[in-house]
Every structure is written in C-alpha cells, then in structure tokens.
Amino acid sequence: MKKTVLASLLALTLIACSQSEQTTPPAPAAPATETPVAEPSAPAESTPAAETPAAEQAAPTETVPAAETPAAEQPAPQETAPAAETPAPAVATGCSFDLKGTDAMTYADAAGNAVPEIVVAATCADFTINFEHIGKMPKTAMGHNVVIAKADDVKAVAANGVKAGIKGDYLQAGDPKVVAASKMVGGGEKTSVKVPVATIKAGGYDFFCSFPGHEMKMHGKLTVQ
Ligand code: ZN
C-alpha cells in the first residue's frame, strides 16, 4: 500500500512538476505549443529544402567536369611538342655511333634522345654501331640487337627471326637479307655491329631490333652522306 501511495505521490509530483513547468507560464504555454508545431513543420520543409541544395550541388559538380574539358584540351598542344622532336636525325661523328637500348623497348642516343635516323659519313669504309643495353631486364624478356637490312626486307627478316627463336638470337642463320647484325644482349650488356659503308651507300637501309615485336618501335634509317 505504501509503495502504491509513494508511487502515486511520485506520479502526482511528476505531473505537478510537469504541469507546474507548463502552467508556470500559462499565457506563453499556448504560443509555446504553437511554436513546436511550427518547428516540426519548419524542419519538414527544411529537409526537402536541404535536398534541393543537394540537387543544386550535383549541378555544380557537372560544371566541374566542364572545367576539366579545357584541361584535357591542354595536353593536345603538348602532344605536338614530341612530334617536333621526332625528325631529328643523329649525325655520327667519325665512323662510329653509340646507340643505347632501354627497358622501354626504345633505341636512344647517349643523351637519351630518340634515334629515328643515323647519318654515316661517306668517307668511312666501315661504320660501327656500338650498342649498349642500358636497361635491367634480361635478354629473354627485353633482348635487343642491331640488325641492318634493306627497309623493304625488315618485315621478312623479323619474321624469319621469330622462327629462329631466342636460341638463334631471333635471326635466321645466314639470312641473305641481313647486311650485318650484332648479337642479342640483355640489360647491362654491350655489343657492336660493323657495317660496310659501300653496301649501304645506295640508300634505303634501316637498323632495327629483331626481338619479336620490337621492330615496330626499335627501327630507324641508316643513311650515307
Ligand atoms: Zn629489342
């Protein structure tokens, strides 16, 4: 009985307290209750309102890619720059040229520039290409050599080389279309090839790497002036 009385008393006091709080400002109580009603409706409106800015933010994000488009247009002028570098033939001084090969499947000169053409002096009896593989990859994965052949024969020599396999340095033994060829080397190795200038004087000769697939990128002209 005491507990129920205490409980009811507590309940009463709680009600009293809550009522006293509400009733303390009787006049403001009415506006107070109106305000909470207005408040939930306000946030309810503000929620969709918050979604609207979100949708508006999506629109600005679309304008951001639009800003990236001019950035994508900028690389275009940069692409024209390397195109201007391509037509730079390497004129050999003396009767030899130092050619490099890289792990990126490219030929390069001592300065690291592309070598689209090597110009040989007509006064040389023989011309030597000293070749160094400056990469680190092994011969089996990124082997390089320097093969001299007529430009029209390059595809056939390369195709015969594929048949010869790595054991044959990707060159058919005694291929009559090969004017001269170095051995195939891997990263860190050096080799050389001696070219009889009288043979290539007529023009139309190229140098290339006969490792399968490399001829497409490792290929240049060998001309006599
Ligand atoms: Zn190669």
Side-chain angles (χ1 to χ4, degrees):
M1 284 300 284
K2 281 183 182 176
K3 281 181 184 175
T4 47
V5 172
L6 277 169
S8 57
L9 276 169
L10 273 167
L12 281 168
T13 41
L14 281 168
I15 292 162
C17 285
S18 61
Q19 279 179 345
S20 67
E21 281 174 10
Q22 284 178 347
T23 46
T24 319
T33 47
E34 283 173 14
T35 341
V37 173
E39 278 174 11
S41 63
E45 286 170 12
S46 64
T47 315
E51 284 171 12
T52 327
E56 284 170 11
Q57 282 176 344
T61 42
E62 283 171 15
T63 55
V64 177
E68 285 171 10
T69 322
E73 285 170 10
Q74 283 176 342
Q78 286 176 346
E79 283 170 15
T80 53
E85 289 171 10
T86 317
V91 179
T93 53
C95 294
S96 67
F97 183 78
D98 292 336
L99 185 68
K100 315 292 181 186
T102 73
D103 279 346
M105 205 198 296
T106 58
Y107 282 135
D109 64 11
N113 298 313
V115 186
E117 182 178 358
I118 300 174
V119 180
V120 181
T123 49
C124 297
D126 291 311
F127 182 75
T128 303
I129 296 175
N130 297 306
F131 180 70
E132 179 183 10
H133 191 321
I134 58 172
K136 290 179 179 176
M137 294 174 73
K139 179 171 119 174
T140 49
M142 186 54 74
H144 298 319
N145 63 1
V146 183
V147 181
I148 315 300
K150 277 187 177 175
D152 293 341
D153 292 338
V154 167
K155 295 284 181 190
V157 171
N160 288 338
V162 171
K163 290 177 194 169
I166 187 68
K167 283 181 181 177
D169 268 5
Y170 292 115
L171 271 184
Q172 186 186 75
D175 190 332
K177 292 184 170 69
V178 174
V179 172
S182 76
K183 64 173 183 175
M184 184 79 64
V185 295
E189 294 180 303
K190 293 179 183 178
T191 184
S192 69
V193 56
K194 189 180 278 187
V195 185
V197 176
T199 306
I200 63 167
K201 225 170 201 170
Y205 286 84
D206 286 2
F207 65 96
F208 70 99
C209 174
S210 67
F211 192 97
H214 288 202
E215 171 266 328
M216 297 292 287
K217 284 188 73 182
M218 305 182 75
H219 192 164
K221 290 179 182 175
L222 191 62
T223 55
V224 180
Q225 280 184 357

